[in-house]
Amino acid sequence: MKNEFAEVWFYNQGWQAHEFQQKCWEALANGESGILNAPTGYGKTFAIWFGVLAQYYAKEAMQEKKNKKKTLHTLWITPLRALSKEIHKATSQVSQDLDLDYEIELRTGDTTVANRQRQRKNPPQALITTPESVHLILATKEGQDYFKHLEFIIIDEWHELLGSKRGVLIELALSRLKAINPNLKIWGISATIGNLEEAKDILLGPGTKGSLIKADIHKKIDIQTVFPDNLEKFPWAGYLGIRLLDKVVDIVNQYKTTLIFTNTRSQAEIWYQQIITYYPEFAGLLAIHHGSLSDEVRTWVEEALHEGRLKAVVCTSSLDLGVDFRPVDCVLQVGSPKGIARFLQRAGRSGHRPDATSIIYYVPTNSLEIIEGDSLKFAVKEKIVESRIPYVRSFDVLIQYLMTLAVGDGFYADDILQEVAQTHCFESITQEEFDQCMALLIHGGSTLQAYDDFHRLVLVDGKYKVTSRKLAMRHRLSIGAIVSDLMMRVKFRSGKYLGSIEESFISKLNIGDVFWFSGRQLELVQIMANDAIVKPSEKKKGVVPSWMGGRFAISPDLGIAIRHSFKSIHKTQGISPEIKFLKPLFKEQESLSALPKEDELLVEYIQTKYGYHLFLYPFEGKLVHEGMAQVLAYRLSLIKPTTFSIATNEYGIELLSETEYPIDEKLLKQLFSPQQLHQDINSGINVQEMARRRFRDIAGIAGLIFQGFPGKQMKSKHLQANAGLFFSVFSEYDPGNLLLREAYDEVFDFQLEEGRMQIAFERISKHKIIFSKPNKLTPFAFPIFADSFRERYSNEDWQSRLEKLKMQLLDG
DNA sequence: GACCTGCTGCGGTTTG
């Protein structure tokens, strides 16, 4: 397949078109839809763009120019504003270079009102935008006309959207756009994930044919584990990795430009501060980048990086995606990357060019974590990658979408139900469920009828519309599926904006307290509304901001790779450097207790001055362990009423009790029975409280609670209280409420990961249990014990807690 | 005797 445009452009870049690109052009010429998958740096984006251009050209679309008629042909959706700007810049350049005179518009939130109106009147051939902006267009009068002439829709980074409610926004928008123009060609661009076929089905709609074009290219990745000088001095617990500071700086010095990825924002701040303190020569050459910093700082860093002015940047996932950092030739990952796909994504940021090798160093933060170096190499070799699990039956998003349509041109309920039922997310929707969503919008459903604000839709000539300007405006203000905590702006007294921190952190500080932020030492001077006013500080002691943010546990697939690594801890030959290095640690574990084999579960029962510890090592990741621990504690307390403090980490569980209780292999076997798991989760875990928390986001997306005007957000406490009210009302008077059920479903699916827990119980029930009673904490046990000092929660009820307090008082 | 965890992403400014 020849593609003149591509040939010219690729030739200028000194590149050659790959086979997958040819295939893509062929598919486009055949009028197909599909998914394009290739490693980063191989020009997926341009492949599609050139293919689309070729189609216009073939149809002599250029002729239209003579008639001065311009219509929107291509809609390009990316999840990132920064990315859309990048694509816009590059494609404008290409069309200019090739003298094609195609018009390309960029529409994201920061376009002005006048700009938007101009775009509406005169749709360009191509529009580059975000999922939220598409819904905003649908929420304007005659917004749908805008898409009438659409021929191609391209969803960039589809794998990123797929696993979130933003993916549902895309599914719903596509269902509408396909109805407006049945000939619409849909293309997704995706990185490698475990379920590409499914990703294709979801994008195109279940049962729709389309091609899946995979690049047959093997990107070379060089993974190096950074070892400490000696194992004895390396901590058994902890997650900072600062102990390897000197080694990291040595590596940074070997390359021109390095990205240092950390797992959390506070960790990034600490690393930045430590490097600058111990290696002052890095001043001006080292930068920091994470999601809480101001746009200004971030853009500066990105540009400086692009121009090769920086030696290194300490960052979080904020640099995972997007912007093309050609000059980066080395990547460091501090701490467990938690997932294989994330690790690959980050590795790919170095050597971002066809045929270049990606170099990534893995920097473990504690002894046991060293083994993940081995696991990651194994996963990459075996091409194990995570799947993205799509959301299903997200009625909050559906309700928002229906409102969007009503605010726009209005809709016919039956037509929309049919369209919606053809998406993957709502494949199983029933008429009754749809009616419930409608009822909530029309009169607030069975519980909220008395409130005017919930009479949102009006039937006009068979079409549902929103007639209240106030409600329409409020809705446009709250389109989207990203819910975040209230952030406070951190500012100098001069007004200079530094970035933002969660309200919950600032509220814990007193005036005069010192903390590190944006790589500076700051003192809190004053709090004004949503602003925290600060001044530079010289005080020695500093607190590092801690942000809320999602807990992220090790992915199931990385878990599999880690369990694979643990298979060879017994071997003495043919083992990786990581396992060889850890041998002394495993020897100690073995002599104190035991080393579990692949089909064995190690359980340790240890007595210390803190009480009786039961340690179990299922290696299932923290999230699953948390749920599992509570189920085990519940089951144990059924046998003998006991209260436990629970602690977990990525590898294992600790159940700590003040009193001794009888335990043996047989009892342990019973504990791991997969029978009745669902019931025991319900009885042993406060699922209701978890659902109540989840419900806040759901209520926000569904538009039950208004999050406030821009710049005047409601306090998170207030929002939580409002959402809590709805939760209680629904629980009591409308237990079948769809949004309420959704909250519970999300708790079971995403928080407790019931599916994974079930599999883990089934797996472990077949394992042989190695029960040991060491006389002190083992290398496996210590990290969990250390964690429990920081965060300790308990399944004990109020009564026994009081009792315990009393005992302590009496003892004292 | 080992311990400073908690990501990312977007959008919108008016009425009583």
Side-chain angles (χ1 to χ4, degrees):
Chain A
M1 174 87 206
K2 239 169 113 70
N3 185 326
E4 286 91 358
F5 306 115
E7 269 173 29
V8 175
W9 193 79
F10 273 71
Y11 182 78
N12 287 341
Q13 303 283 315
W15 288 10
Q16 269 199 329
H18 280 272
E19 205 192 331
F20 82 91
Q21 290 167 329
Q22 315 259 354
K23 274 194 222 156
C24 161
W25 296 328
E26 217 155 296
L28 275 162
N30 292 336
E32 290 170 36
S33 293
I35 290 258
L36 193 60
N37 159 250
T40 46
Y42 280 83
K44 289 181 289 237
T45 307
F46 284 108
I48 287 270
W49 176 240
F50 287 127
V52 166
L53 278 185
Q55 294 316 303
Y56 291 164
Y57 193 76
K59 284 195 299 180
E60 288 175 296
M62 293 297 283
Q63 299 303 320
E64 283 187 13
K65 190 170 66 170
K66 286 178 192 155
N67 314 331
K68 295 252 179 222
K69 206 181 91 192
K70 286 195 176 162
T71 38
L72 177 63
H73 292 297
T74 310
L75 180 60
W76 199 300
I77 306 180
T78 92
L80 251 185
R81 234 174 24 204
L83 216 57
S84 48
K85 281 179 194 150
E86 189 102 341
I87 296 167
H88 179 252
K89 216 164 67 190
T91 47
S92 303
Q93 189 62 48
V94 170
S95 100
Q96 223 176 60
D97 285 355
L98 301 178
D99 203 16
L100 291 175
D101 196 29
Y102 278 115
E103 201 163 319
I104 299 142
E105 286 273 2
L106 174 70
R107 178 173 161 155
T108 56
D110 45 30
T111 46
T112 60
V113 177
N115 229 337
R116 257 182 264 144
Q117 274 166 356
R118 194 174 53 77
Q119 284 179 23
R120 281 273 307 284
K121 282 208 193 100
N122 194 8
Q125 274 96 357
L127 176 72
I128 299 173
T129 186
T130 58
E132 289 77 9
S133 289
V134 175
H135 278 253
L136 272 168
I137 298 175
L138 288 175
T140 53
K141 299 274 175 255
E142 280 127 48
Q144 308 195 11
D145 285 351
Y146 194 72
F147 299 116
K148 254 198 323 231
H149 302 284
L150 200 60
E151 288 178 52
F152 298 97
I153 181 161
I154 295 148
I155 318 285
D156 204 359
E157 311 277 356
W158 172 230
H159 62 283
E160 274 298 319
L161 295 164
L162 179 60
S164 76
K165 287 188 182 173
R166 297 180 84 195
V168 180
L169 284 178
I170 293 283
E171 286 182 56
L172 289 170
L174 287 180
S175 76
R176 190 77 274 273
L177 297 185
K178 276 195 287 191
I180 295 172
N181 176 9
N183 281 322
L184 184 64
K185 304 288 173 278
I186 302 169
W187 280 87
I189 306 179
S190 170
T192 301
I193 49 173
N195 54 338
L196 270 177
E197 273 293 340
E198 192 185 24
K200 187 194 80 187
D201 279 351
I202 294 169
L203 187 71
L204 305 185
T208 314
K209 263 201 202 146
S211 21
L212 175 58
I213 298 173
K214 279 196 215 171
D216 194 17
I217 299 168
H218 192 63
K219 178 97 178 162
K220 278 196 221 83
I221 301 172
D222 180 12
I223 306 169
Q224 302 274 346
T225 303
V226 179
F227 290 101
D229 281 333
N230 63 31
L231 183 61
E232 287 74 43
K233 290 218 177 107
F234 204 56
W236 279 9
Y239 304 91
L240 276 183
I242 286 296
R243 213 65 74 93
L244 289 172
L245 181 68
D246 296 341
K247 301 235 162 195
V248 164
V249 172
D250 279 351
I251 294 165
V252 169
N253 280 327
Q254 286 169 35
Y255 295 88
K256 280 223 281 288
T257 313
T258 304
L259 291 182
I260 304 169
F261 279 103
T262 61
N263 282 335
T264 69
R265 289 167 282 174
S266 58
Q267 198 180 13
E269 295 277 348
I270 292 166
W271 268 87
Y272 176 82
Q273 175 203 339
Q274 293 277 326
I275 297 177
I276 291 290
T277 311
Y278 291 101
Y279 295 88
E281 65 268 27
F282 273 95
L285 294 173
L286 179 75
I288 179 165
H289 192 285
H290 60 67
S292 293
L293 300 180
S294 66
D295 265 350
E296 197 191 336
V297 174
R298 292 169 65 166
T299 323
W300 182 87
V301 174
E302 285 155 23
E303 266 160 25
L305 200 50
H306 194 81
E307 289 158 14
R309 283 187 279 134
L310 291 172
K311 187 91 186 126
V313 178
V314 187
C315 59
T316 62
S317 298
S318 54
L319 286 188
D320 265 359
L321 266 194
V323 207
D324 174 16
F325 294 120
R326 222 173 297 240
V328 173
D329 50 6
C330 171
V331 168
L332 278 144
Q333 165 67 41
V334 181
S336 167
K338 311 275 177 177
I340 301 151
R342 182 180 289 112
F343 187 70
L344 289 175
Q345 176 82 265
R346 290 178 177 180
R349 298 256 70 93
S350 81
H352 194 269
R353 230 171 321 120
D355 306 321
T357 302
S358 295
I359 302 168
I360 186 160
Y361 288 85
Y362 168 60
V363 184
T365 59
N366 59 55
S367 305
L368 220 44
E369 218 177 48
I370 295 174
I371 204 168
E372 276 182 50
D374 176 70
S375 317
L376 288 164
K377 286 179 203 164
F378 168 76
V380 169
K381 198 177 115 233
E382 297 294 316
K383 297 188 181 150
I384 305 173
V385 208
E386 289 88 8
S387 296
R388 296 288 173 127
I389 313 297
Y391 274 77
V392 286
R393 299 167 59 75
S394 302
F395 292 106
D396 50 346
V397 184
L398 178 60
I399 288 168
Q400 184 188 96
Y401 168 67
L402 294 175
M403 186 71 182
T404 295
L405 294 179
V407 165
D409 295 327
F411 66 92
Y412 298 106
D414 292 343
D415 293 357
I416 293 298
L417 171 58
Q418 267 197 3
E419 288 170 27
V420 162
Q422 278 165 35
T423 64
H424 173 263
C425 185
F426 298 104
E427 233 177 340
S428 66
I429 193 173
T430 62
Q431 179 74 47
E432 197 207 328
E433 285 163 341
F434 187 77
D435 290 345
Q436 224 195 95
C437 293
M438 288 300 293
L440 198 73
L441 285 162
I442 296 166
H443 53 67
S446 58
T447 43
L448 306 171
Q449 298 201 17
Y451 306 95
D452 273 355
D453 270 3
F454 294 104
H455 295 238
R456 293 190 271 178
L457 303 193
V458 178
L459 196 57
V460 185
D461 302 331
K463 262 186 168 181
Y464 284 99
K465 290 188 175 175
V466 169
T467 49
S468 152
R469 282 192 62 196
K470 182 180 137 198
L471 287 180
M473 190 255 325
R474 279 190 170 197
H475 179 72
R476 279 194 286 265
L477 286 173
S478 40
I479 281 181
I482 301 172
V483 194
S484 33
D485 264 350
L486 180 72
M487 302 293 261
M488 296 200 81
R489 288 182 292 255
V490 181
K491 284 180 173 176
F492 281 134
R493 271 181 294 197
S494 63
K496 190 181 156 46
Y497 173 65
L498 288 172
S500 45
I501 301 190
E502 264 96 2
E503 181 195 19
S504 57
F505 174 74
I506 292 287
S507 64
K508 271 187 258 163
L509 294 182
N510 295 316
I511 304 295
D513 278 358
V514 174
F515 61 100
W516 273 91
F517 183 70
S518 190
R520 302 164 202 249
Q521 196 168 344
L522 304 168
E523 182 180 327
L524 184 63
V525 179
Q526 197 187 355
I527 291 176
M528 283 178 2
N530 284 345
D531 296 347
I533 312 294
V534 297
K535 66 175 186 192
S537 163
E538 297 286 306
K539 283 188 192 169
K540 276 277 167 282
K541 246 184 85 188
V543 193
V544 175
S546 107
W547 287 269
M548 304 278 289
R551 308 144 78 76
F552 51 142
I554 284 180
S555 74
D557 302 75
L558 183 53
I560 291 169
I562 293 174
R563 279 203 296 278
H564 177 271
S565 299
F566 271 92
K567 277 186 209 169
S568 42
I569 58 180
H570 294 274
K571 292 189 199 151
T572 47
Q573 279 181 347
I575 48 175
S576 65
E578 285 83 2
I579 298 196
K580 203 167 163 190
F581 187 83
L582 283 170
K583 268 281 159 192
L585 187 85
F586 294 140
K587 282 231 170 73
E588 190 166 355
Q589 170 71 32
E590 192 164 27
S591 68
L592 282 170
S593 166
L595 265 188
K597 294 203 180 74
E598 193 197 348
D599 51 357
E600 293 173 343
L601 175 80
L602 173 64
V603 181
E604 295 171 344
Y605 191 57
I606 306 170
Q607 188 191 350
T608 70
K609 66 173 176 181
Y610 299 99
Y612 297 84
H613 310 254
L614 189 68
F615 289 101
L616 311 101
Y617 309 100
F619 296 98
E620 280 292 338
K622 185 156 173 92
L623 228 52
V624 169
H625 287 164
E626 278 182 7
M628 195 182 249
Q630 296 187 63
V631 169
L632 296 177
Y634 170 72
R635 288 181 174 177
L636 268 172
S637 63
L638 285 185
I639 298 164
K640 179 177 183 275
T642 319
T643 58
F644 295 98
S645 292
I646 295 167
T648 57
N649 73 358
E650 300 292 354
Y651 307 112
I653 296 169
E654 177 200 10
L655 299 178
L656 172 61
S657 158
E658 294 240 302
T659 50
E660 199 177 1
Y661 51 93
I663 190 146
D664 55 28
E665 277 100 334
K666 210 179 128 216
L667 178 67
L668 284 164
K669 201 90 198 163
Q670 278 174 34
L671 284 183
F672 274 101
S673 159
Q675 312 283 322
Q676 292 228 355
L677 186 58
H678 186 77
Q679 290 94 310
D680 287 353
I681 289 173
N682 263 315
S683 328
I685 302 175
N686 193 346
V687 180
Q688 194 189 345
E689 187 50 39
M690 294 170 86
R692 182 186 292 273
R693 294 231 180 94
R694 280 245 159 206
F695 188 75
R696 197 194 98 176
D697 289 3
I698 291 172
I701 293 173
L704 287 182
I705 45 178
F706 181 53
Q707 322 255 348
F709 289 102
K712 275 191 262 173
Q713 272 90 357
M714 285 213 263
K715 291 260 182 250
S716 41
K717 247 195 253 167
H718 199 142
L719 283 181
Q720 185 66 56
N722 282 352
L725 221 59
F726 283 115
F727 187 85
S728 307
V729 170
F730 288 154
S731 300
E732 191 164 346
Y733 301 105
D734 185 14
N737 186 287
L738 282 176
L739 297 177
L740 192 66
R741 265 164 46 193
E742 188 178 332
Y744 281 96
D745 287 348
E746 284 184 14
V747 166
F748 278 105
D749 292 348
F750 299 108
Q751 230 165 324
L752 292 171
E753 299 201 69
E754 192 183 10
R756 257 177 87 182
M757 226 195 309
Q758 182 78 37
I759 293 169
F761 271 86
E762 269 156 25
R763 186 172 60 78
I764 293 167
S765 67
K766 293 187 198 101
H767 281 192
K768 189 177 161 211
I769 286 174
I770 309 289
F771 184 52
S772 98
K773 291 181 172 175
N775 47 23
K776 60 175 185 172
L777 293 175
T778 64
F780 282 9
F782 185 80
I784 313 178
F785 171 73
D787 274 359
S788 71
F789 268 155
R790 283 193 288 269
E791 179 194 11
R792 177 161 281 175
Y793 54 100
S794 145
N795 73 337
E796 60 195 334
D797 57 18
W798 184 234
Q799 203 60 46
S800 60
R801 200 183 285 191
L802 273 180
E803 208 61 36
K804 211 159 101 182
L805 264 175
K806 205 166 73 190
M807 294 295 285
Q808 276 167 1
L809 286 174
L810 287 176
D811 283 348

